[in-house]
Structures are given as structure tokens and as C-alpha cells.
Amino acid sequence: MSKRAAILGAGYYAPEKVLTNKDIEKFLDTNDEWITSMTGMKERHLSEKGQPTSDLAVKAAENALKNSGVKKEEIDMVLVATVTGDYVWPSTANVVVNKLGINGVPSVDLSAACSGFLYGLTSARAFIESGIYKKILLIGAEEFTKVCDWTDRKTCVLFGDGAGAVVIGEAQNEEQGILSTYLGSDGSKVSYLMQPGGGTANPLSQEVLDKKMQFVYMEGKEVFKQAVIKMTASMEIAMEKAGVTAEQVDYFIFHQANKRIIDSIAQRFLVPEEKLIINIHKYANTSAATIPIALAEAMEEGKIKKGHLLGFSALGAGFTWGGAIVRI
Ligand code: ACO
């Protein structure tokens, strides 16, 4: 058998502090009924002030290593999918290798917003199947609550903090493995969803701060539309590439951005509710971390088991998008 990459184990971590819709009602002109019916979100986890993204990433990584039975010394690359890293630069992956005590191992961040985990999965797959590396730690970690304007009800209620991680290595049997991956992007729509200030287009200045350009900006309706179109198409292409049908897939994990987006995609493939892994009510949108958190949590609960066939798809700012079919 030629080399095939596989997910060997998964782990996750969410900060202890929980903010419910009811809590948000106390300081913002919104309500639990609106947030729940429009998004499916009930609560989200919030990182503390001195708790950067790398802290969440390391905890998720340690859990993924434990659950996959792989020692940290065996890891020969660390990839972190994030757009809310500790610093503008250097990379959060760089901080993570130090905190994990594995300095010397190559490390890099992938910036594809909410589809970052699928960009990471595809990259890790290529490194493993080409024989360049044997064991890769892929982490999706985000702290969007620190880049949201908490006076803007159209965006801040949607996000949460968290991290999910997987260990990727060579498949241990004929069935297991990443059966297909698919990625795409369209840069003509970057202005629909972005954090416009702080980069080289709009360097930090008093004007940038006054205009609140350091925070998330989103045209919700257009993002919603694109998410349904691109996540559906990505899932379809990934299934086609793997030669599987929706009926054969045991569970779908769609990027947890809005329960209504997930329901629309599921409807398209006639997927019943019990085949959907959904935890948006507990974590809200954790961007690049939603798929690995949902995967790790469902594996911990015993819902996703060895041998199960999984479908992933996501859309992120940019836009970027992707899909994958994986047998655990
Ligand atoms: N509470 C109460 N009312 C609200 C809130 C809120 N939190 N937010 C908006 N409203 C109001 C608006 O002010 C508006 O009122 P008006 O009609 O009096 O002006 C009304 O609700 C409708 O607002 P819209 O923004 O037009 O509502 P929409 O139907 O677009 O739903 C939502 C908003 C839920 C955000 C939706 O657009 C969405 O989910 N978009 C996709 C989000 C997404 O996927 N983002 C992540 C992408 S991934 C990444 O890369 C980060």
C-alpha cells in the first residue's frame, strides 16, 4: 500500500469561563431568543486576559497526543491554523513548539480563517504521503472574542474561543485514512469578512482605532449565502473525489458558524439530524477550531468511533473553503 495519511487521534480545549446569551443580554441590546433562533448559539467560552491563543493550542495538543498514543518527541512538524494568533508575528506555532518543549521541530501558522483546519489537513496529508514527515500535530486555535467589538451586536454574539488538535500520521490499516481533500478560494470578496486594521493596508494608528478597524467586520447576509453555496459544493466535491455517497458517511462535521447554515447543507444532501455533529450551542463559532473541537468531543463521547466515515466542510473569510472525507 502506498502511504496514506490518517488522523491518529484528536483533543480539544475550551477556556473555563462561559458567557451565555442571557449574560450578553445584560450589556447589549440583544436577547437569547434572537441569538438562538438566528444562529443556534446558546453560550461560548471566553479566554482570560493573560491566556493567549497558544495556551489553548497547547492544551488541545496535549490532549490529542494523549488520545492518539503518540509521544511529543515523535512529532516532526507543528501546524497551527489561526487568524487570531498571540502576535501579528512570529507565528503561534512557533510559540507552541516552545511551550510543548519540542523546540527544533518546524512550525508554521496557516491563515485561512474558518477553513484553516482543512487547509492544515490537506498540507499535513501532503507532507505525510510524500514521506517528508511522519507525525504532524495540526491545531486549530482561535480567540475571536479578543478581536470582536463587544458593542457590535451583529458580530460579537457569534464568536467563542477554543482549540482543537489532531495528530496526523501514516494510516495503520487499509481502511483508515484521509480519503479526499478539496480546497478553494476567491479573493474578490475579502471585504465581506475581515479584521481590516493592524496589517500593512491599515497600520495601527489613532484613526484606525477611532474607526474600530482593529475589530471583526462582517456583511452577515453575504457571508451566510457564500457559506451555504461553498460548503455544500466543497462537501459534494470531497465525496466525489473519495468515491462515496452521503448515505455512506456516518457523520458530517460542518464548520459551526450558524445552525441554519448547517441545516441548509444537510437538507441538500438529505442528511438526517442524527448524522450531524453539532456543538454550536456550547462553543459558538471558534473559526479554525470548530471542526477539530467537534471531532475530538464526539470521539471523547464515544459517538465517533474507529472505522467511521466522516465528512468535513468549511468556509472562511477571504473567501476560502474546503472539504474532506476521512475514515477514522
Ligand atoms: N440581537 C438582536 N438583533 C440583532 C442582532 C442581535 N445580536 N444582530 C442583528 N440584529 C438585528 C439587526 O439590527 C437587524 O435589525 P433591523 O432589521 O431592525 O435592521 C435584524 O436583526 C436583521 O439583521 P441582519 O444582520 O440583516 O440579520 P441576518 O438575517 O443576516 O442574520 C447573522 C445575521 C445571524 C449574523 C447571519 O447573517 C449569519 O449567520 N451570517 C453568517 C455568519 C458567519 O458564518 N460568519 C462566520 C464566517 S467564518 C469566518 O471566517 C470567521
Side-chain angles (χ1 to χ4, degrees):
M1 178 176 115
S2 60
K3 274 192 196 70
R4 183 197 268 171
I7 293 178
L8 306 182
Y12 70 103
Y13 177 77
E16 275 170 36
K17 194 170 167 188
V18 171
L19 187 74
T20 65
N21 294 347
K22 289 271 177 207
D23 295 331
I24 300 178
E25 275 182 14
K26 290 176 197 151
F27 61 86
L28 202 62
D29 178 19
T30 187
N31 56 78
D32 177 44
E33 205 278 322
W34 191 95
I35 303 172
T36 308
S37 63
M38 293 297 277
T39 71
M41 297 165 185
K42 292 298 270 185
E43 52 189 46
R44 68 283 298 141
H45 290 245
L46 254 64
S47 53
E48 300 289 345
K49 212 171 166 195
Q51 188 181 32
T53 304
S54 60
D55 279 14
L56 315 191
V58 166
K59 285 202 162 79
E62 285 169 345
N63 289 332
L65 287 165
K66 194 173 75 198
N67 294 338
S68 55
V70 170
K71 293 190 191 70
K72 65 180 182 182
E73 293 75 18
E74 294 176 64
I75 295 297
D76 38 28
M77 178 177 230
V78 173
L79 298 174
V80 177
T82 188
V83 287
T84 53
D86 290 19
Y87 310 109
V88 176
W89 54 269
S91 76
T92 299
N94 223 179
V95 179
V96 167
V97 285
N98 184 47
K99 286 187 178 172
L100 277 176
I102 53 170
N103 277 323
V105 166
S107 59
V108 72
D109 284 0
L110 288 136
S111 169
C114 299
S115 45
F117 179 75
L118 295 180
Y119 272 74
L121 192 74
T122 310
S123 308
R125 179 190 185 196
F127 279 120
I128 300 291
E129 293 184 357
S130 62
I132 295 176
Y133 297 121
K134 285 196 158 46
K135 297 242 164 38
I136 297 178
L137 193 51
L138 166 62
I139 310 165
E142 305 273 20
E143 292 191 352
F144 260 75
T145 69
K146 285 183 177 146
V147 296
C148 282
D149 174 1
W150 282 93
T151 64
D152 175 12
R153 67 178 187 175
K154 286 188 174 180
T155 53
C156 71
V157 303
L158 304 173
F159 296 100
D161 301 335
V166 292
V167 176
I168 300 177
E170 258 182 67
Q172 291 149 345
N173 57 55
E174 291 279 333
E175 285 73 41
Q176 185 189 34
I178 300 168
L179 307 189
S180 75
T181 50
Y182 162 72
L183 300 173
S185 76
D186 175 355
S188 68
K189 297 185 172 66
V190 288
S191 63
Y192 288 119
L193 179 56
M194 66 191 324
Q195 193 185 330
T200 51
N202 302 295
L204 271 190
S205 66
Q206 195 53 52
E207 193 193 349
V208 163
L209 296 176
D210 290 343
K211 289 182 176 166
K212 297 188 167 190
M213 291 167 78
Q214 73 276 31
F215 296 127
V216 173
Y217 172 82
M218 184 176 77
E219 304 262 345
K221 276 200 200 309
E222 187 58 28
V223 176
F224 191 101
K225 214 167 73 191
Q226 289 295 323
V228 174
I229 295 170
K230 297 292 195 260
M231 282 165 66
T232 304
S234 299
M235 197 66 268
E236 196 149 26
I237 294 168
M239 287 195 290
E240 220 173 84
K241 284 174 88 159
V244 303
T245 63
E247 294 77 58
Q248 290 172 293
V249 174
D250 293 296
Y251 288 106
F252 287 92
I253 306 181
F254 297 121
H255 169 47
Q256 312 276 301
N258 188 320
K259 172 75 164 53
R260 292 187 295 131
I261 294 175
I262 297 172
D263 289 342
S264 302
I265 306 164
Q267 232 173 36
R268 165 70 182 81
F269 298 114
L270 304 173
V271 174
E273 182 92 14
E274 37 313 348
K275 276 194 173 193
L276 299 173
I277 302 290
I278 294 175
N279 61 11
I280 195 168
H281 51 291
K282 291 198 279 184
Y283 303 103
N285 181 353
T286 57
S287 184
T290 68
I291 293 176
I293 291 177
L295 171 68
E297 194 177 52
M299 287 175 81
E300 185 182 78
E301 288 167 354
K303 201 167 179 180
I304 293 180
K305 297 186 180 70
K306 270 187 190 163
H308 275 157
L309 190 64
L310 310 178
F312 304 146
S313 85
L315 171 105
F319 292 110
T320 60
W321 56 84
I325 292 287
V326 170
R327 192 175 296 279
I328 286 294

mmCIF file of all heavy atoms in Angstrom, residues 32-72:
data_model
loop_
_atom_site.group_PDB
_atom_site.id
_atom_site.type_symbol
_atom_site.label_atom_id
_atom_site.label_comp_id
_atom_site.label_asym_id
_atom_site.label_seq_id
_atom_site.Cartn_x
_atom_site.Cartn_y
_atom_site.Cartn_z
ATOM 1 N N ASP A 32 -31.659 36.370 24.133
ATOM 2 C CA ASP A 32 -31.432 34.928 23.946
ATOM 3 C C ASP A 32 -32.267 34.386 22.789
ATOM 4 O O ASP A 32 -31.781 33.589 21.983
ATOM 5 C CB ASP A 32 -31.772 34.204 25.255
ATOM 6 C CG ASP A 32 -31.644 32.694 25.145
ATOM 7 O OD1 ASP A 32 -30.648 32.248 24.567
ATOM 8 O OD2 ASP A 32 -32.538 31.973 25.633
ATOM 9 N N GLU A 33 -33.501 34.853 22.693
ATOM 10 C CA GLU A 33 -34.420 34.357 21.655
ATOM 11 C C GLU A 33 -33.854 34.656 20.251
ATOM 12 O O GLU A 33 -33.826 33.777 19.388
ATOM 13 C CB GLU A 33 -35.798 35.019 21.870
ATOM 14 C CG GLU A 33 -36.956 34.222 21.306
ATOM 15 C CD GLU A 33 -37.142 34.450 19.816
ATOM 16 O OE1 GLU A 33 -36.957 35.608 19.392
ATOM 17 O OE2 GLU A 33 -37.437 33.475 19.081
ATOM 18 N N TRP A 34 -33.380 35.888 20.038
ATOM 19 C CA TRP A 34 -32.836 36.273 18.718
ATOM 20 C C TRP A 34 -31.598 35.427 18.398
ATOM 21 O O TRP A 34 -31.500 34.839 17.321
ATOM 22 C CB TRP A 34 -32.473 37.767 18.674
ATOM 23 C CG TRP A 34 -32.157 38.247 17.278
ATOM 24 C CD1 TRP A 34 -33.032 38.847 16.417
ATOM 25 C CD2 TRP A 34 -30.902 38.152 16.565
ATOM 26 N NE1 TRP A 34 -32.397 39.132 15.222
ATOM 27 C CE2 TRP A 34 -31.103 38.717 15.291
ATOM 28 C CE3 TRP A 34 -29.648 37.642 16.881
ATOM 29 C CZ2 TRP A 34 -30.089 38.793 14.328
ATOM 30 C CZ3 TRP A 34 -28.631 37.705 15.925
ATOM 31 C CH2 TRP A 34 -28.861 38.275 14.667
ATOM 32 N N ILE A 35 -30.665 35.373 19.347
ATOM 33 C CA ILE A 35 -29.394 34.662 19.073
ATOM 34 C C ILE A 35 -29.671 33.185 18.810
ATOM 35 O O ILE A 35 -29.150 32.596 17.857
ATOM 36 C CB ILE A 35 -28.378 34.838 20.231
ATOM 37 C CG1 ILE A 35 -28.111 36.329 20.494
ATOM 38 C CG2 ILE A 35 -27.065 34.108 19.910
ATOM 39 C CD1 ILE A 35 -27.271 36.621 21.736
ATOM 40 N N THR A 36 -30.529 32.579 19.632
ATOM 41 C CA THR A 36 -30.809 31.147 19.484
ATOM 42 C C THR A 36 -31.504 30.856 18.153
ATOM 43 O O THR A 36 -31.093 29.959 17.420
ATOM 44 C CB THR A 36 -31.684 30.636 20.648
ATOM 45 O OG1 THR A 36 -31.066 31.015 21.869
ATOM 46 C CG2 THR A 36 -31.839 29.126 20.614
ATOM 47 N N SER A 37 -32.538 31.629 17.845
ATOM 48 C CA SER A 37 -33.297 31.323 16.622
ATOM 49 C C SER A 37 -32.514 31.678 15.356
ATOM 50 O O SER A 37 -32.637 31.004 14.341
ATOM 51 C CB SER A 37 -34.650 32.022 16.636
ATOM 52 O OG SER A 37 -34.452 33.424 16.637
ATOM 53 N N MET A 38 -31.669 32.713 15.420
ATOM 54 C CA MET A 38 -30.933 33.132 14.223
ATOM 55 C C MET A 38 -29.643 32.347 14.008
ATOM 56 O O MET A 38 -29.137 32.269 12.887
ATOM 57 C CB MET A 38 -30.593 34.626 14.304
ATOM 58 C CG MET A 38 -31.809 35.530 14.231
ATOM 59 S SD MET A 38 -32.686 35.391 12.665
ATOM 60 C CE MET A 38 -31.727 36.481 11.632
ATOM 61 N N THR A 39 -29.062 31.767 15.100
ATOM 62 C CA THR A 39 -27.740 31.124 14.958
ATOM 63 C C THR A 39 -27.635 29.734 15.571
ATOM 64 O O THR A 39 -26.739 28.979 15.220
ATOM 65 C CB THR A 39 -26.645 31.983 15.640
ATOM 66 O OG1 THR A 39 -26.821 31.904 17.065
ATOM 67 C CG2 THR A 39 -26.709 33.439 15.215
ATOM 68 N N GLY A 40 -28.494 29.405 16.534
ATOM 69 C CA GLY A 40 -28.378 28.118 17.243
ATOM 70 C C GLY A 40 -27.407 28.191 18.413
ATOM 71 O O GLY A 40 -27.173 27.209 19.107
ATOM 72 N N MET A 41 -26.826 29.374 18.643
ATOM 73 C CA MET A 41 -25.834 29.521 19.723
ATOM 74 C C MET A 41 -26.520 29.827 21.052
ATOM 75 O O MET A 41 -27.457 30.625 21.092
ATOM 76 C CB MET A 41 -24.857 30.661 19.396
ATOM 77 C CG MET A 41 -24.041 30.394 18.147
ATOM 78 S SD MET A 41 -23.248 31.909 17.549
ATOM 79 C CE MET A 41 -22.514 31.321 16.022
ATOM 80 N N LYS A 42 -26.032 29.196 22.139
ATOM 81 C CA LYS A 42 -26.571 29.462 23.469
ATOM 82 C C LYS A 42 -25.484 30.030 24.381
ATOM 83 O O LYS A 42 -25.741 30.869 25.220
ATOM 84 C CB LYS A 42 -27.107 28.174 24.123
ATOM 85 C CG LYS A 42 -28.344 27.586 23.477
ATOM 86 C CD LYS A 42 -29.544 28.504 23.534
ATOM 87 C CE LYS A 42 -30.418 28.368 24.744
ATOM 88 N NZ LYS A 42 -31.634 29.232 24.644
ATOM 89 N N GLU A 43 -24.270 29.513 24.239
ATOM 90 C CA GLU A 43 -23.152 30.015 25.043
ATOM 91 C C GLU A 43 -21.837 29.858 24.297
ATOM 92 O O GLU A 43 -21.768 29.159 23.285
ATOM 93 C CB GLU A 43 -23.101 29.307 26.404
ATOM 94 C CG GLU A 43 -23.108 27.801 26.332
ATOM 95 C CD GLU A 43 -23.284 27.140 27.704
ATOM 96 O OE1 GLU A 43 -24.161 27.567 28.474
ATOM 97 O OE2 GLU A 43 -22.525 26.199 27.983
ATOM 98 N N ARG A 44 -20.829 30.551 24.795
ATOM 99 C CA ARG A 44 -19.488 30.483 24.204
ATOM 100 C C ARG A 44 -18.470 30.580 25.337
ATOM 101 O O ARG A 44 -18.782 31.090 26.426
ATOM 102 C CB ARG A 44 -19.259 31.581 23.143
ATOM 103 C CG ARG A 44 -19.199 33.001 23.589
ATOM 104 C CD ARG A 44 -20.531 33.645 23.897
ATOM 105 N NE ARG A 44 -21.473 33.752 22.774
ATOM 106 C CZ ARG A 44 -22.772 33.554 22.880
ATOM 107 N NH1 ARG A 44 -23.326 33.277 24.057
ATOM 108 N NH2 ARG A 44 -23.583 33.666 21.872
ATOM 109 N N HIS A 45 -17.244 30.081 25.068
ATOM 110 C CA HIS A 45 -16.177 30.131 26.077
ATOM 111 C C HIS A 45 -15.283 31.338 25.810
ATOM 112 O O HIS A 45 -15.018 31.671 24.645
ATOM 113 C CB HIS A 45 -15.358 28.842 26.041
ATOM 114 C CG HIS A 45 -16.127 27.656 26.546
ATOM 115 N ND1 HIS A 45 -15.793 26.968 27.687
ATOM 116 C CD2 HIS A 45 -17.249 27.050 26.061
ATOM 117 C CE1 HIS A 45 -16.661 25.994 27.890
ATOM 118 N NE2 HIS A 45 -17.560 26.007 26.904
ATOM 119 N N LEU A 46 -14.825 31.944 26.891
ATOM 120 C CA LEU A 46 -14.017 33.165 26.775
ATOM 121 C C LEU A 46 -12.648 32.961 27.411
ATOM 122 O O LEU A 46 -12.563 32.549 28.580
ATOM 123 C CB LEU A 46 -14.721 34.293 27.541
ATOM 124 C CG LEU A 46 -15.433 35.375 26.750
ATOM 125 C CD1 LEU A 46 -16.591 34.778 25.976
ATOM 126 C CD2 LEU A 46 -15.958 36.464 27.675
ATOM 127 N N SER A 47 -11.604 33.302 26.679
ATOM 128 C CA SER A 47 -10.255 33.218 27.253
ATOM 129 C C SER A 47 -10.056 34.383 28.216
ATOM 130 O O SER A 47 -10.680 35.433 28.086
ATOM 131 C CB SER A 47 -9.223 33.279 26.132
ATOM 132 O OG SER A 47 -9.459 34.416 25.319
ATOM 133 N N GLU A 48 -9.163 34.173 29.184
ATOM 134 C CA GLU A 48 -8.844 35.239 30.147
ATOM 135 C C GLU A 48 -7.861 36.216 29.522
ATOM 136 O O GLU A 48 -7.272 35.925 28.467
ATOM 137 C CB GLU A 48 -8.205 34.619 31.413
ATOM 138 C CG GLU A 48 -9.089 33.629 32.146
ATOM 139 C CD GLU A 48 -10.263 34.291 32.862
ATOM 140 O OE1 GLU A 48 -10.241 35.528 33.028
ATOM 141 O OE2 GLU A 48 -11.207 33.571 33.220
ATOM 142 N N LYS A 49 -7.603 37.308 30.209
ATOM 143 C CA LYS A 49 -6.710 38.344 29.717
ATOM 144 C C LYS A 49 -5.291 37.808 29.456
ATOM 145 O O LYS A 49 -4.740 38.006 28.401
ATOM 146 C CB LYS A 49 -6.667 39.496 30.725
ATOM 147 C CG LYS A 49 -6.463 40.836 30.075
ATOM 148 C CD LYS A 49 -6.648 41.950 31.073
ATOM 149 C CE LYS A 49 -6.109 43.245 30.480
ATOM 150 N NZ LYS A 49 -5.947 44.268 31.507
ATOM 151 N N GLY A 50 -4.731 37.099 30.404
ATOM 152 C CA GLY A 50 -3.353 36.604 30.233
ATOM 153 C C GLY A 50 -3.296 35.207 29.637
ATOM 154 O O GLY A 50 -2.363 34.450 29.919
ATOM 155 N N GLN A 51 -4.284 34.860 28.846
ATOM 156 C CA GLN A 51 -4.374 33.492 28.299
ATOM 157 C C GLN A 51 -4.420 33.585 26.768
ATOM 158 O O GLN A 51 -5.489 33.586 26.168
ATOM 159 C CB GLN A 51 -5.660 32.841 28.840
ATOM 160 C CG GLN A 51 -5.821 31.372 28.537
ATOM 161 C CD GLN A 51 -7.134 30.824 29.105
ATOM 162 O OE1 GLN A 51 -8.148 31.517 29.194
ATOM 163 N NE2 GLN A 51 -7.110 29.558 29.486
ATOM 164 N N PRO A 52 -3.247 33.654 26.124
ATOM 165 C CA PRO A 52 -3.230 33.810 24.659
ATOM 166 C C PRO A 52 -3.622 32.526 23.926
ATOM 167 O O PRO A 52 -3.720 31.458 24.536
ATOM 168 C CB PRO A 52 -1.784 34.186 24.370
ATOM 169 C CG PRO A 52 -1.002 33.571 25.478
ATOM 170 C CD PRO A 52 -1.890 33.592 26.689
ATOM 171 N N THR A 53 -3.805 32.642 22.629
ATOM 172 C CA THR A 53 -4.227 31.519 21.784
ATOM 173 C C THR A 53 -3.314 30.297 21.940
ATOM 174 O O THR A 53 -3.771 29.158 21.950
ATOM 175 C CB THR A 53 -4.244 31.988 20.311
ATOM 176 O OG1 THR A 53 -5.102 33.133 20.226
ATOM 177 C CG2 THR A 53 -4.765 30.917 19.383
ATOM 178 N N SER A 54 -2.002 30.534 22.085
ATOM 179 C CA SER A 54 -1.056 29.411 22.200
ATOM 180 C C SER A 54 -1.352 28.553 23.425
ATOM 181 O O SER A 54 -1.125 27.339 23.400
ATOM 182 C CB SER A 54 0.386 29.927 22.258
ATOM 183 O OG SER A 54 0.552 30.771 23.374
ATOM 184 N N ASP A 55 -1.864 29.164 24.503
ATOM 185 C CA ASP A 55 -2.191 28.380 25.708
ATOM 186 C C ASP A 55 -3.293 27.368 25.410
ATOM 187 O O ASP A 55 -3.229 26.216 25.834
ATOM 188 C CB ASP A 55 -2.676 29.301 26.844
ATOM 189 C CG ASP A 55 -1.526 29.953 27.590
ATOM 190 O OD1 ASP A 55 -0.391 29.914 27.066
ATOM 191 O OD2 ASP A 55 -1.769 30.522 28.668
ATOM 192 N N LEU A 56 -4.312 27.808 24.671
ATOM 193 C CA LEU A 56 -5.414 26.894 24.308
ATOM 194 C C LEU A 56 -4.889 25.823 23.361
ATOM 195 O O LEU A 56 -5.228 24.640 23.466
ATOM 196 C CB LEU A 56 -6.570 27.648 23.629
ATOM 197 C CG LEU A 56 -7.062 28.972 24.218
ATOM 198 C CD1 LEU A 56 -8.366 29.385 23.537
ATOM 199 C CD2 LEU A 56 -7.261 28.881 25.709
ATOM 200 N N ALA A 57 -4.045 26.249 22.412
ATOM 201 C CA ALA A 57 -3.484 25.328 21.412
ATOM 202 C C ALA A 57 -2.676 24.224 22.081
ATOM 203 O O ALA A 57 -2.811 23.037 21.730
ATOM 204 C CB ALA A 57 -2.604 26.105 20.431
ATOM 205 N N VAL A 58 -1.868 24.590 23.081
ATOM 206 C CA VAL A 58 -1.017 23.604 23.760
ATOM 207 C C VAL A 58 -1.877 22.589 24.518
ATOM 208 O O VAL A 58 -1.627 21.377 24.460
ATOM 209 C CB VAL A 58 -0.011 24.320 24.705
ATOM 210 C CG1 VAL A 58 0.639 23.352 25.672
ATOM 211 C CG2 VAL A 58 1.046 25.049 23.877
ATOM 212 N N LYS A 59 -2.912 23.077 25.198
ATOM 213 C CA LYS A 59 -3.774 22.152 25.956
ATOM 214 C C LYS A 59 -4.486 21.178 25.008
ATOM 215 O O LYS A 59 -4.581 19.982 25.284
ATOM 216 C CB LYS A 59 -4.801 22.950 26.775
ATOM 217 C CG LYS A 59 -4.173 23.612 27.997
ATOM 218 C CD LYS A 59 -5.256 23.907 29.037
ATOM 219 C CE LYS A 59 -4.709 24.155 30.422
ATOM 220 N NZ LYS A 59 -4.167 25.497 30.606
ATOM 221 N N ALA A 60 -4.977 21.697 23.878
ATOM 222 C CA ALA A 60 -5.642 20.815 22.901
ATOM 223 C C ALA A 60 -4.634 19.815 22.337
ATOM 224 O O ALA A 60 -4.943 18.628 22.167
ATOM 225 C CB ALA A 60 -6.246 21.655 21.778
ATOM 226 N N ALA A 61 -3.420 20.285 22.065
ATOM 227 C CA ALA A 61 -2.373 19.421 21.502
ATOM 228 C C ALA A 61 -2.011 18.300 22.482
ATOM 229 O O ALA A 61 -1.868 17.136 22.088
ATOM 230 C CB ALA A 61 -1.135 20.250 21.177
ATOM 231 N N GLU A 62 -1.869 18.663 23.764
ATOM 232 C CA GLU A 62 -1.529 17.631 24.761
ATOM 233 C C GLU A 62 -2.623 16.568 24.828
ATOM 234 O O GLU A 62 -2.343 15.380 24.938
ATOM 235 C CB GLU A 62 -1.320 18.298 26.132
ATOM 236 C CG GLU A 62 0.010 19.034 26.179
ATOM 237 C CD GLU A 62 0.184 19.952 27.402
ATOM 238 O OE1 GLU A 62 -0.834 20.241 28.083
ATOM 239 O OE2 GLU A 62 1.319 20.390 27.628
ATOM 240 N N ASN A 63 -3.888 16.999 24.735
ATOM 241 C CA ASN A 63 -4.991 16.032 24.750
ATOM 242 C C ASN A 63 -4.980 15.155 23.500
ATOM 243 O O ASN A 63 -5.241 13.951 23.566
ATOM 244 C CB ASN A 63 -6.337 16.758 24.878
ATOM 245 C CG ASN A 63 -6.517 17.348 26.266
ATOM 246 O OD1 ASN A 63 -5.968 16.832 27.235
ATOM 247 N ND2 ASN A 63 -7.260 18.435 26.364
ATOM 248 N N ALA A 64 -4.653 15.763 22.350
ATOM 249 C CA ALA A 64 -4.605 14.986 21.100
ATOM 250 C C ALA A 64 -3.470 13.962 21.148
ATOM 251 O O ALA A 64 -3.629 12.820 20.692
ATOM 252 C CB ALA A 64 -4.412 15.924 19.914
ATOM 253 N N LEU A 65 -2.326 14.357 21.718
ATOM 254 C CA LEU A 65 -1.192 13.420 21.829
ATOM 255 C C LEU A 65 -1.583 12.247 22.724
ATOM 256 O O LEU A 65 -1.356 11.081 22.375
ATOM 257 C CB LEU A 65 0.034 14.148 22.404
ATOM 258 C CG LEU A 65 0.732 15.127 21.454
ATOM 259 C CD1 LEU A 65 1.677 16.060 22.214
ATOM 260 C CD2 LEU A 65 1.504 14.379 20.358
ATOM 261 N N LYS A 66 -2.207 12.567 23.858
ATOM 262 C CA LYS A 66 -2.626 11.522 24.809
ATOM 263 C C LYS A 66 -3.615 10.569 24.132
ATOM 264 O O LYS A 66 -3.459 9.345 24.180
ATOM 265 C CB LYS A 66 -3.268 12.188 26.037
ATOM 266 C CG LYS A 66 -3.436 11.252 27.216
ATOM 267 C CD LYS A 66 -3.901 11.988 28.443
ATOM 268 C CE LYS A 66 -5.375 12.309 28.278
ATOM 269 N NZ LYS A 66 -5.917 13.330 29.131
ATOM 270 N N ASN A 67 -4.605 11.126 23.458
ATOM 271 C CA ASN A 67 -5.653 10.301 22.844
ATOM 272 C C ASN A 67 -5.163 9.498 21.649
ATOM 273 O O ASN A 67 -5.790 8.513 21.274
ATOM 274 C CB ASN A 67 -6.844 11.171 22.428
ATOM 275 C CG ASN A 67 -7.544 11.763 23.631
ATOM 276 O OD1 ASN A 67 -7.439 11.241 24.741
ATOM 277 N ND2 ASN A 67 -8.249 12.872 23.436
ATOM 278 N N SER A 68 -4.068 9.918 21.039
ATOM 279 C CA SER A 68 -3.567 9.172 19.876
ATOM 280 C C SER A 68 -2.440 8.220 20.276
ATOM 281 O O SER A 68 -1.952 7.453 19.441
ATOM 282 C CB SER A 68 -3.098 10.130 18.784
ATOM 283 O OG SER A 68 -2.146 11.007 19.309
ATOM 284 N N GLY A 69 -1.996 8.313 21.536
ATOM 285 C CA GLY A 69 -0.911 7.436 21.993
ATOM 286 C C GLY A 69 0.424 7.773 21.336
ATOM 287 O O GLY A 69 1.293 6.916 21.197
ATOM 288 N N VAL A 70 0.567 9.027 20.932
ATOM 289 C CA VAL A 70 1.819 9.462 20.285
ATOM 290 C C VAL A 70 2.570 10.364 21.267
ATOM 291 O O VAL A 70 1.972 11.221 21.915
ATOM 292 C CB VAL A 70 1.504 10.218 18.964
ATOM 293 C CG1 VAL A 70 2.745 10.883 18.392
ATOM 294 C CG2 VAL A 70 0.872 9.271 17.939
ATOM 295 N N LYS A 71 3.882 10.129 21.393
ATOM 296 C CA LYS A 71 4.696 10.965 22.296
ATOM 297 C C LYS A 71 5.069 12.249 21.584
ATOM 298 O O LYS A 71 5.293 12.246 20.369
ATOM 299 C CB LYS A 71 5.971 10.223 22.688
ATOM 300 C CG LYS A 71 5.752 9.008 23.559
ATOM 301 C CD LYS A 71 7.105 8.515 24.071
ATOM 302 C CE LYS A 71 6.994 7.170 24.731
ATOM 303 N NZ LYS A 71 6.722 6.074 23.782
ATOM 304 N N LYS A 72 5.199 13.335 22.349
ATOM 305 C CA LYS A 72 5.521 14.622 21.718
ATOM 306 C C LYS A 72 6.868 14.568 20.990
ATOM 307 O O LYS A 72 7.087 15.246 19.998
ATOM 308 C CB LYS A 72 5.472 15.763 22.733
ATOM 309 C CG LYS A 72 6.494 15.693 23.834
ATOM 310 C CD LYS A 72 6.354 16.880 24.785
ATOM 311 C CE LYS A 72 7.437 16.809 25.856
ATOM 312 N NZ LYS A 72 7.334 17.893 26.828
#
